[in-house]
Amino acid sequence: MIEILSPTLLARAKDTGALVADILQTLKSRSAVGTNLMDIDRWTKDMIVEAGALSCYVDYAPSFGRGPFGHHICTAVNDAVLHGRPYDYTLADGDLLSLDLAVSKGGVAADAAISFIVGDTRPPESVAMISATERALAAGIAAAGPGARIGDISHAIGTVLREAGYPINTEFGGHGIGSTMHQDPHVPNTGRPGRGYTLRPGLLLALEPWVMADTAELVTDADGWTLRSATGCRTAHSEHTIAITDDGAEILTLPAQTRRNRHAGEDAA
């Protein structure tokens, strides 16, 4: 189903997106050497409940997972990249941690992901990989707008990732979002421009470039959920929910400080 949101629902989507972004930034600030992934899951639950929102993950049981996910956030460390099920693991210095969060509030969902390095050690290859996914995400957003096509977004994302030297997996990618977390259209992380669904104002998309350092092949963990690189290499993942507007694309999952800076710039103009 491809859902076009009314102005009322779009306003709610902005609130949900802000909540998702703020939870992720809080979790990033708390995630340190010695933090357990189960603590991150517990903190996430507490913030979702406090906000009067609902987790999109706890009862989620799609065909590609084994039973309900059962947790409130995806926590992927080092060679894990998608659908990382929290478990009893304590973060170490230099770990590459990806957090992926989807929440519903007011009947509208928003979805975002961030990757960052824990502690003081900053492996250059990991820093470069995170940067590549962030640049690809920015390129995909820049390609989105009324009248553009899904292939335009996919091509923009794929161009950045390919130029950075990363293999691209097309099994999982971005997606439509609205009253439910995962909707059509699928947004692959590579594609041909001018192809696919034509974007319309009111459409929400979750764009999510993700890469593995030296492979495009995934393997599934024994937990039935966590997807890891087949070679054991590190991975990275960046995601925003955007709304297609008459003027282009609006990012709904920006961190609070970025939102404040943008508003200040608009007021000054």
Side-chain angles (χ1 to χ4, degrees), residues 110-254:
D111 192 358
I114 56 174
S115 289
F116 56 94
I117 299 168
V118 177
D120 297 324
T121 301
R122 303 186 64 78
E125 299 85 356
S126 296
V127 173
M129 186 161 45
I130 293 169
S131 175
T133 63
E134 292 173 345
R135 296 196 314 273
L137 179 56
I141 294 169
R149 292 179 176 268
I150 292 297
D152 299 331
I153 298 174
S154 297
H155 178 72
I157 290 172
T159 297
V160 173
L161 298 181
R162 195 171 290 106
E163 289 178 350
Y166 298 108
I168 301 174
N169 176 293
T170 56
E171 295 173 79
F172 296 93
H175 52 89
I177 187 169
S179 57
T180 56
M181 173 176 57
H182 283 153
Q183 299 180 353
D184 291 331
H186 175 58
V187 189
N189 284 327
T190 188
R192 298 175 62 183
R195 301 294 184 93
Y197 180 78
T198 301
L199 309 185
R200 298 166 51 193
L203 175 69
L204 298 191
L205 295 172
L207 307 184
E208 47 182 315
W210 61 274
V211 293
M212 301 177 283
D214 61 16
T215 183
E217 183 180 353
L218 293 165
V219 293
T220 304
D221 235 2
D223 64 13
W225 275 98
T226 304
L227 296 177
R228 298 183 182 273
S229 62
T231 62
C233 68
R234 285 195 165 195
T235 71
H237 180 195
S238 296
E239 179 179 13
H240 273 311
T241 293
I242 66 171
I244 305 303
T245 70
D246 290 331
D247 301 319
E250 180 178 357
I251 305 172
L252 304 187
T253 47
L254 287 172

Side-chain angles (χ1 to χ4, degrees), residues 12-83:
R12 295 181 190 174
K14 293 179 182 181
D15 291 340
T16 308
L19 173 63
V20 168
D22 292 345
I23 290 176
L24 285 175
Q25 291 304 308
T26 298
L27 294 173
K28 180 179 180 180
S29 69
R30 293 182 182 179
S31 297
V33 175
T35 299
N36 192 286
L37 298 183
M38 296 304 292
D39 290 333
I40 295 175
D41 188 55
R42 177 173 52 82
W43 296 336
T44 304
K45 176 183 178 181
D46 290 346
M47 286 186 280
I48 291 173
V49 171
E50 182 179 357
L54 298 171
S55 168
C56 291
Y57 291 162
V58 172
D59 298 322
Y60 189 51
S63 60
F64 55 78
R66 189 171 69 205
F69 186 72
H71 294 273
H72 295 79
I73 190 166
C74 296
T75 56
V77 182
N78 296 333
D79 65 320
V81 63
L82 298 175
H83 313 153

